[in-house]
Amino acid sequence: MALLEVRRLAVQFPIGERLFRTAKRVLRAVDDVSFEIHSGESMGLVGESGCGKTTLGRAVVRLSEAVSGSISFEGEDITALKCSTLRSRRQRFQMVFQDSHSSLNPRMTVEEIIGEAIEIHRLARTREVRRHRVIALLEQVGLDATHLRHYPHQFSGGQRQRIGIARALAVQPKLIVCDEPVSALDVSVQAQIINLLRDLQQSRGIAYLFISHDLAVVEHFSHRMMVMYLGKVVEIGDTKRICQTPRHPYTQALISAVLDIDPHSKRRRIVLSGEPPSPISPPSGCPFHPRCPIAEDRCRSTAPELRQVSEDHQVACHLA
Amino acid sequence: MAAIEIRNLRLDLRESENVLRVIENLSLSIDEEEIVSLVGESGSGKSLTALSLVRLIACPPARFSGGEILVDGRDVLQMTKAELRAIRGRVVSYVFQEPGASLNPVLTVGQQIKEVLRLHCSEEARDEDVGRLLRLVKIPDPQLRMNDYPYRLSGGVQQRVVLAMALAARPRLLVADEATTALDATVQTQILDLLKELRDKLGMAILLITHHLGVVRDIADRVAVMYAGQIVEMGPTKTLLLRPLHPYTRGLIECVPRLGATAGHLRAIPGQVPRLGSYPQGCRFHPRCAWAQSDCSTREPDLEEIEPGHWVRCPYWKLTSTDTGHEHR
């Protein structure tokens, strides 16, 4: 059984909604997305800004509400869980955010920030026990007891991200949704955080939904991956397979746009024209057809469904 | 010939009681039509270096405490306000990271570009001139886009508009400060291609500031790596990326995951990037260096030319470049 199973999930935002006036149009941020994550596995999610990857990540932990579809966690449907039950279930799935500056309360000390989660889920009986747990967590993420009384502003970006990770770990979750966890960090510190997340996965069997715009990071980090474009998954499957033989023209372009450091590399670059269209008025047929170098007539009229092209590799393209 | 030449530049910042030396003895010359990249992490002083070129830094709190910046044999640091105005935009011009923040939200694209044209060129700026600039940066339908407000445009198109404004007075040097960083990968490659094309077409030099070595390898002829206010290594792009000699440069190259590389642990550089101006004694990189020797914490290394055009600020570069470093970590 999969740890997380998402079926035909859709998230929409109304546009121009006011009091006594219902919205005429909707933005389809996530449109009919299905995937699953097994325990101890990391699933990468790539796409450009506005493709809906953050919304999908938030919907999975129920920070955004779905309009249709279902999310099951360990076999239990959590799509419609109410407040108190949802809170207790959240012990098993946590989130780490991109901006460690705005996701940590500036008026709380590190001990309070990490301890709060332990408190809410009543994981420690006394203050002493709680403090010991916080210290143990800090040590796991490469900080120590001397940091307990410090406030977020006293740390560098990389250290703050470690605090965010310790907070997520505090309740011993089985799944962590990481939304661009390293994008705001200096490159020399990025690698530290990636290594940390990976070590935690190996020692605790945590599964990740790892959201990033950086394909090289996703390839490095995740077992499986999916590529999103305008709210839809266009390619999903085994990471190595997708990166070596991408079948969707959009994935091919994304991979060719990764700027390689090696001066000898001779990767062919596919330059896409234009930019992603607005998800408020997506194009007819395949959402990628206006930028696709190989689009045909049927791409303009019929939207392609995801179909299996090889073992653990699905693509939504008529021509793949 | 050099388009601009920095010699032994020193810049101080006053922070309450303390004076922080944020740029230390920096020398860099950029030839005509050359693309030079300045690489470094936050707090390394790369943006301050770029802003110094035409003195776009408020003094005080900053103070230029030494060196010179030469344009046509004249020192920018000695220029009057009027002389500075004459070279800003015309000799050196800038494009920054967030195009949305560089554009005025209440003026149309056309109005903003005309403002720049009026300032630099003629009294009368016409729609044709605006159209020509927009075509230069390859914006489709320039006649339509001219009447758009910035919020209607995507990040990539906004950056093209900013670029058009920067090119209005045909500068000799374009400074692109993380100009592609906030853009999506597929748009980033479009802008990088455009920059290369503009260099060839207009014959201008480009100083590209970035933290991304992939961008460097794509576009730059020469690279200068900055760490903690100093250049630690400088050389032709290919040489530097294939045979980095400074431990920091090596670290930067090794710590980024690469497509198609085997998975495993990334070689992270331990520790943190030091805060602007508060740099360690001796070699500024020594607390994070895997090859640090006993005298690295006391002796400040000089930038030495190891082979023609390849400069390194590390007396132990031979150790670094031959050793795999495994046993040190």
Side-chain angles (χ1 to χ4, degrees):
Chain A
M1 183 180 66
L3 181 70
L4 175 79
E5 199 176 326
V6 173
R7 285 283 155 261
R8 313 210 64 160
L9 191 74
V11 182
Q12 298 180 348
F13 297 112
I15 293 164
E17 191 176 45
R18 278 183 228 148
L19 191 64
F20 303 126
R21 201 183 90 181
T22 45
K24 291 206 181 76
R25 295 189 298 171
V26 290
L27 183 153
R28 293 170 202 276
V30 175
D31 197 3
D32 197 12
V33 168
S34 303
F35 66 95
E36 48 200 45
I37 300 179
H38 292 270
S39 111
E41 178 184 75
S42 39
M43 167 69 102
L45 171 52
V46 286
E48 294 180 292
S49 47
C51 74
K53 55 189 192 301
T54 293
T55 308
L56 177 57
R58 293 175 61 92
V60 164
V61 294
R62 292 272 320 266
L63 287 174
S64 290
E65 290 303 322
V67 293
S68 63
S70 71
I71 308 160
S72 310
F73 195 84
E74 295 182 306
E76 179 191 22
D77 189 342
I78 60 162
T79 333
L81 283 187
K82 290 280 174 282
C83 216
S84 60
T85 350
L86 177 63
R87 178 177 283 187
S88 73
R89 297 302 184 273
R90 279 213 175 113
Q91 192 184 332
R92 288 179 281 162
F93 46 89
Q94 289 285 305
M95 186 146 182
V96 172
F97 300 89
Q98 168 171 9
D99 183 359
S100 60
H101 193 78
S102 61
S103 60
L104 301 177
N105 188 333
R107 304 173 72 157
M108 286 165 79
T109 63
V110 167
E111 182 174 9
E112 287 163 347
I113 289 171
I114 300 174
E116 192 180 30
I118 299 175
E119 197 112 296
I120 287 172
H121 293 285
R122 298 201 186 86
L123 299 173
R125 240 177 269 140
T126 65
R127 266 198 119 107
E128 280 307 295
V129 179
R130 193 182 85 175
R131 172 162 298 171
H132 280 298
R133 289 194 74 148
V134 173
I135 295 172
L137 285 160
L138 284 174
E139 282 166 356
Q140 279 183 39
V141 297
L143 299 169
D144 57 55
T146 59
H147 294 114
L148 278 178
R149 286 170 200 283
H150 290 186
Y151 288 90
H153 74 266
Q154 292 171 291
F155 294 93
S156 67
Q159 288 173 318
R160 275 202 300 268
Q161 202 55 291
R162 289 173 192 269
I163 298 169
I165 293 169
R167 175 176 63 181
L169 289 176
V171 295
Q172 300 182 321
K174 296 191 169 163
L175 171 76
I176 301 181
V177 173
C178 300
D179 187 5
E180 303 267 13
V182 297
S183 313
L185 303 177
D186 275 313
V187 282
S188 69
V189 180
Q190 259 186 28
Q192 296 173 6
I193 299 295
I194 293 173
N195 286 344
L196 171 66
L197 289 171
R198 204 168 227 236
D199 290 343
L200 289 169
Q201 179 166 54
Q202 271 154 15
S203 61
R204 297 178 156 218
I206 298 171
Y208 293 108
L209 176 60
F210 189 89
I211 304 171
S212 177
H213 67 279
D214 189 334
L215 215 132
V217 170
V218 165
E219 193 218 18
H220 175 84
F221 189 79
S222 41
H223 304 108
R224 300 180 71 234
M225 66 180 273
M226 51 185 164
V227 182
M228 269 182 95
Y229 189 80
L230 272 190
K232 284 184 181 297
V233 171
V234 297
E235 189 154 4
I236 180 169
D238 180 76
T239 302
K240 288 278 163 298
R241 205 162 287 147
I242 291 181
C243 288
Q244 276 157 19
T245 48
R247 301 286 291 267
H248 197 284
Y250 178 62
T251 316
Q252 289 167 356
L254 267 190
I255 289 176
S256 85
V258 174
L259 295 168
D260 201 323
I261 293 179
D262 184 3
H264 291 318
S265 111
K266 294 229 161 42
R267 201 173 321 125
R268 194 173 58 97
R269 184 191 286 179
I270 306 163
V271 177
L272 288 179
S273 58
E275 291 175 42
S278 155
I280 299 169
S281 47
S284 63
C286 170
F288 186 59
H289 87 257
R291 300 176 77 196
C292 183
I294 54 168
E296 300 178 345
D297 277 346
R298 61 176 160 163
C299 304
R300 290 179 251 285
S301 52
T302 7
E305 296 285 323
L306 273 176
R307 62 191 170 82
Q308 198 88 21
V309 286
S310 65
E311 197 203 333
D312 195 19
H313 190 171
Q314 290 177 286
V315 182
C317 176
H318 294 304
L319 304 162
Chain B
M1 207 190 94
I4 199 160
E5 189 178 355
I6 310 175
R7 284 190 192 158
N8 300 319
L9 182 74
R10 281 194 214 141
L11 180 69
D12 294 335
L13 277 186
R14 210 177 52 226
E15 197 191 55
S16 57
E17 297 295 280
N18 310 318
V19 175
L20 307 173
R21 171 66 51 84
V22 289
I23 295 174
E24 178 77 61
N25 275 335
L26 186 134
S27 299
L28 177 70
S29 97
I30 301 163
D31 282 342
E32 306 268 358
E33 300 187 32
E34 188 183 29
I35 301 184
V36 175
S37 185
L38 205 51
V39 187
E41 299 179 286
S42 51
S44 61
K46 55 192 194 306
S47 287
L48 285 172
T49 306
L51 292 173
S52 301
L53 291 175
V54 288
R55 273 168 57 193
L56 286 176
I57 302 175
C59 302
R63 196 173 74 91
F64 290 98
S65 52
E68 47 192 4
I69 297 170
L70 299 174
V71 174
D72 292 331
R74 290 183 306 151
D75 185 3
V76 174
L77 300 186
Q78 308 300 332
M79 283 183 185
T80 62
K81 275 189 179 160
E83 287 173 309
L84 282 175
R85 237 191 333 266
I87 62 164
R88 287 176 184 163
R90 275 182 230 182
V91 177
V92 182
S93 160
Y94 292 81
V95 177
F96 297 101
Q97 175 168 354
E98 277 198 42
S102 303
L103 294 169
N104 187 334
V106 297
L107 294 180
T108 63
V109 165
Q111 286 169 328
Q112 303 192 42
I113 296 182
K114 273 186 194 162
E115 193 180 341
V116 181
L117 282 169
R118 267 199 300 275
L119 199 64
H120 287 302
C121 308
S122 59
E123 293 298 306
E124 273 309 301
R126 293 162 307 162
D127 280 355
E128 291 103 274
D129 301 320
V130 176
R132 210 183 48 237
L133 278 171
L134 291 179
R135 267 191 299 278
L136 184 67
V137 295
K138 303 209 165 149
I139 291 180
D141 308 322
Q143 295 306 327
L144 289 174
R145 292 291 85 82
M146 216 178 273
N147 301 317
D148 272 340
Y149 287 92
Y151 80 93
R152 308 247 319 166
L153 311 173
S154 66
V157 176
Q158 283 182 349
Q159 194 60 291
R160 286 170 197 264
V161 171
V162 175
L163 197 53
M165 289 165 72
L167 298 175
R170 294 291 154 97
R172 218 182 308 162
L173 172 72
L174 177 76
V175 179
D177 189 349
E178 300 275 13
T180 62
T181 307
L183 304 175
D184 281 318
T186 56
V187 181
Q188 168 165 281
T189 50
Q190 291 172 5
I191 299 284
L192 288 173
D193 285 355
L194 176 65
L195 284 175
K196 280 184 273 191
E197 209 182 301
L198 289 171
R199 184 264 298 260
D200 297 339
K201 210 186 221 167
L202 307 177
M204 64 180 178
I206 297 177
L207 176 64
L208 187 95
I209 296 176
T210 180
H211 63 275
H212 193 316
L213 285 168
V215 170
V216 172
R217 108 105 216 201
D218 189 73
I219 190 171
D221 303 314
R222 215 148 54 82
V223 199
V225 181
M226 275 190 89
Y227 186 78
Q230 296 175 322
I231 290 181
V232 295
E233 184 161 3
M234 181 161 67
T237 305
K238 216 170 158 181
T239 319
L240 194 128
L241 290 179
L242 283 179
R243 209 164 76 90
L245 298 181
H246 196 282
Y248 177 62
T249 317
R250 242 189 100 165
L252 273 188
I253 292 174
E254 287 174 353
C255 74
V256 244
R258 291 189 207 181
L259 216 53
T262 45
H265 252 65
L266 290 175
R267 286 240 198 130
I269 304 177
Q272 317 286 339
V273 179
R275 244 170 51 84
L276 192 70
S278 37
Y279 304 133
Q281 289 289 306
C283 168
R284 294 174 177 185
F285 186 62
H286 86 264
R288 306 178 73 190
C289 181
W291 293 274
Q293 307 291 309
S294 53
D295 65 341
C296 288
S297 56
T298 49
R299 196 164 63 121
E300 207 168 307
D302 292 322
L303 194 61
E304 288 176 274
E305 193 167 16
I306 306 292
E307 54 200 358
H310 194 172
W311 297 73
V312 181
R313 192 185 291 278
C314 177
Y316 298 107
W317 62 270
K318 273 189 184 142
L319 205 68
T320 321
S321 54
T322 49
D323 180 13
T324 57
H326 282 297
E327 59 272 37
H328 291 275
R329 302 189 187 202

